[in-house]
Amino acid sequence: MSITPPPPEISLGSKRSNLKLIAVASALTLCIAFSGSAAAATMDPKSTLPDARPIQLAANDEAATAKADASSKGDPVAGKETFNGTCSHCHGPNADVGDMRLNLRRLKHKYTDQMEPVFFTTVTAGRPAKGMPAWKDVFTHQDFVNILAYLNTVQEP
């Protein structure tokens, strides 16, 4: 009787890429869970969810303002690639989705001059009650800047 050694450790890549893979899988699971629920299927699109209120930012949130100011330096092409590789699972390819709750093409309309700080607050802190995970441990600040630069190119009136 021979003893078979255990298989070698499987390496999927760097710690950062593994975190991205886990985050994407988690986000996709949340999207499926929320979109497949009976409540979502019967919900009136004009109804408001309990936490559907706009995000309120602290008046002295200088960090969010500084990050928002940096958005003008983003690369929309890189942002589109990152968006379509990760965010599109819930928000649709090229940010084109029928569900108004997930429609990122109307951020400017919805949040006006607060679009950028709301974006940075949402992607870094998440909105767990709505199925939006926090991405601060997955993406760099420049990744967020690039995604925002891309989203600025697809805004609808």
Side-chain angles (χ1 to χ4, degrees):
M1 174 175 168
S2 68
I3 298 176
T4 306
E9 183 178 324
I10 298 173
S11 175
L12 296 176
S14 70
K15 182 178 179 183
R16 182 182 164 114
S17 66
N18 288 344
L19 283 174
K20 283 185 181 181
L21 180 64
I22 291 167
V24 169
S26 298
L28 185 56
T29 301
L30 285 171
C31 289
I32 291 169
F34 277 92
S35 67
S37 70
T42 60
M43 184 178 292
D44 176 4
K46 295 179 183 175
S47 68
T48 316
L49 297 174
D51 73 338
R53 67 194 177 287
I55 296 174
Q56 299 296 316
L57 300 175
N60 61 354
D61 193 352
E62 293 175 19
T65 303
K67 288 178 181 178
D69 291 340
S71 68
S72 61
K73 298 176 180 89
D75 177 358
V77 174
K80 180 179 181 179
E81 183 179 332
T82 303
F83 182 92
N84 282 332
T86 305
C87 312
S88 65
H89 296 291
C90 294
H91 296 286
N94 301 318
D96 190 13
V97 66
D99 187 343
M100 291 303 287
R101 297 174 299 143
L102 302 173
N103 186 348
L104 299 183
R105 289 178 172 249
R106 298 196 35 92
L107 290 175
K108 192 73 166 171
H109 173 76
K110 185 174 182 179
Y111 295 110
T112 63
D113 62 340
Q114 292 297 305
M115 175 186 160
E116 293 179 13
V118 167
F119 170 82
F120 281 107
T121 300
T122 302
V123 296
T124 57
R127 294 184 82 180
K130 296 183 83 173
M132 172 70 178
W135 295 97
K136 68 179 180 251
D137 295 330
V138 178
F139 293 106
T140 66
H141 174 69
Q142 189 60 48
D143 291 331
F144 293 138
V145 170
N146 294 341
I147 293 169
L148 182 59
Y150 167 65
L151 289 175
N152 276 318
T153 69
V154 297
Q155 292 303 294
E156 298 174 348

